Amino acid sequence: MRIDLSDDDLVDLGAGLYVTSPEATLRHLARNLELGALLMRMYEACGLYAICPGTARARYVVRELVSGGLLDRDVVRSWEHFPAYSEPSGSRVAYADDAPWAPCFKRNGSITDLWKRPPLTRGETLLESIDRVAAPKGVRGLALARRAAEQVLDGSGSPLESRCAILMFTARELGGEGWPQPHLNRIIELDESGRNLSGQRSCVADALLPSLNAIVEVNGEEYHADEWGFAERSGRLHALEGMGYTVFEVIDDHLRDLDKLDDMMGTCAMKLGLPFRPRLSDFVVARDALHRQIFS
């Protein structure tokens, strides 16, 4: 790391030990990462999830927490699962600074490497951090960090949601579709009919496009294990469509396969009334590179 870090770049852990802030860490990572990989890390930092490392020490700690009864489905259900980023009004959900991280479980009961937690930073804060150090010349990675921070959206709920958002909403010259920016994980209050259909007073839209009255739902079994999950999707879908929303569902397989990706994007664009531009060579090169980077 650069030795001229400011106080804003450091988080004091006590006893003379410091760790670099999320913003300083992401600036540093930009020195050695490609655009897509850096975007994935920025989406994670600005989102509602963390991918915990599968090291021997981390696995040991998780086993100890499970054996001690501190981590199981019943305990985790009593915590805040961080399913939403913003309220219906648009204001951010207020999470306590000491809110505990919550692991996500597979259907067989085992803990995944995906944990839910409050956001660590915001895209706007990332840009401010980059601008503070932009004056010195020759700082490697700053240009890439700014390019990525300008594209990142706050509030993603999983790696799959992040990949979908990157491919749909990143600027076209960088390999994305360049569609209008959405609100990620926005709470939607349901009307009486919607409440009857879904059994809920509200639901969380993965990506709400208010200008189109449309919602993109990202369905992934492994990485979408929260209380708004699969058991309630059918009722929620009918509730949202009954309220006039156009809902388009995306699954992991459609994003991973490039041929399926193009077919899916064309269908989504047609359903949502968005332009689906010809696949010219410059775009295909940029899109394929971005796709490789976010799935590597």
Side-chain angles (χ1 to χ4, degrees), residues 1-295:
M1 298 292 291
R2 293 167 56 85
I3 61 173
D4 57 340
L5 293 169
S6 68
D7 290 342
D8 292 333
D9 292 330
L10 299 173
V11 179
D12 188 354
L13 301 183
L17 181 63
Y18 294 81
V19 64
T20 52
S21 68
E23 297 81 20
T25 302
L26 288 163
R27 290 199 318 261
H28 181 72
L29 286 172
R31 295 159 58 94
N32 299 306
L33 292 178
E34 296 178 295
L35 174 65
L38 182 60
L39 271 172
M40 286 296 293
R41 284 156 178 80
M42 286 186 173
Y43 265 87
E44 180 176 344
C46 297
L48 302 168
Y49 69 94
I51 301 299
C52 293
T55 62
R57 181 173 295 181
R59 288 193 295 270
Y60 171 79
V61 171
V62 170
R63 283 199 303 269
E64 289 295 300
L65 292 171
V66 171
S67 64
L70 298 175
L71 279 186
D72 60 40
R73 284 184 182 273
D74 292 333
V75 171
V76 169
R77 284 193 187 101
S78 69
W79 295 354
E80 172 56 74
H81 275 235
F82 317 112
Y85 181 78
S86 58
E87 304 281 359
S89 63
S91 60
R92 295 176 68 201
V93 172
Y95 292 117
D97 292 337
D98 59 349
W101 292 30
C104 291
F105 292 84
K106 293 183 179 179
R107 293 195 170 186
N108 63 10
S110 61
I111 293 176
T112 70
D113 62 352
L114 178 74
W115 290 56
K116 290 302 185 81
R117 51 116 176 95
L120 303 180
T121 186
R122 303 174 65 183
E124 180 182 356
T125 307
L126 284 175
L127 282 170
E128 292 172 355
S129 171
I130 293 165
D131 288 341
R132 282 201 307 270
V133 298
K137 295 182 179 179
V139 179
R140 187 157 58 93
L142 272 187
L144 178 62
R146 165 165 275 285
R147 197 177 311 134
E150 289 172 343
Q151 301 297 319
V152 70
L153 301 174
D154 297 329
S156 175
S158 72
L160 185 59
E161 287 184 22
S162 296
R163 292 183 176 110
C164 183
I166 289 170
L167 292 170
M168 285 186 172
F169 307 114
T170 297
R172 192 164 174 80
E173 61 268 22
L174 300 178
E177 295 294 332
W179 289 346
Q181 289 194 347
H183 302 296
L184 301 184
N185 286 291
R186 170 72 61 87
I187 296 175
I188 297 177
E189 299 287 354
L190 299 178
D191 59 18
E192 183 177 359
S193 175
R195 291 195 294 269
N196 290 334
L197 286 168
S198 66
Q200 302 171 345
R201 298 188 62 85
S202 64
C203 66
V204 181
D206 292 340
L208 171 65
L209 290 80
S211 62
L212 302 172
N213 207 38
I215 293 170
V216 176
E217 287 288 283
V218 185
N219 297 339
E221 180 172 358
E222 180 177 1
Y223 283 136
H224 215 87
D226 56 44
E227 64 179 295
W228 311 105
F230 286 90
E232 300 160 339
R233 283 199 176 276
S234 179
R236 183 174 71 171
L237 174 64
H238 292 305
L240 291 171
E241 290 180 337
M243 292 174 63
Y245 288 103
T246 299
V247 182
F248 190 88
E249 295 189 303
V250 178
I251 62 174
D252 181 73
D253 185 52
H254 293 163
L255 297 175
R256 287 184 179 274
D257 185 285
L258 285 171
D259 290 333
K260 292 179 181 178
L261 176 65
D262 271 342
D263 291 340
M264 184 270 293
M265 289 295 186
T267 302
C268 185
M270 181 174 61
K271 186 171 183 178
L272 302 183
L274 292 166
F276 184 65
R277 300 176 179 86
R279 277 21 200 166
L280 301 178
S281 58
D282 287 349
F283 170 78
V284 170
V285 170
R287 192 278 312 276
D288 290 1
L290 184 66
H291 185 273
R292 171 183 56 78
Q293 292 158 16
I294 66 175
F295 279 104

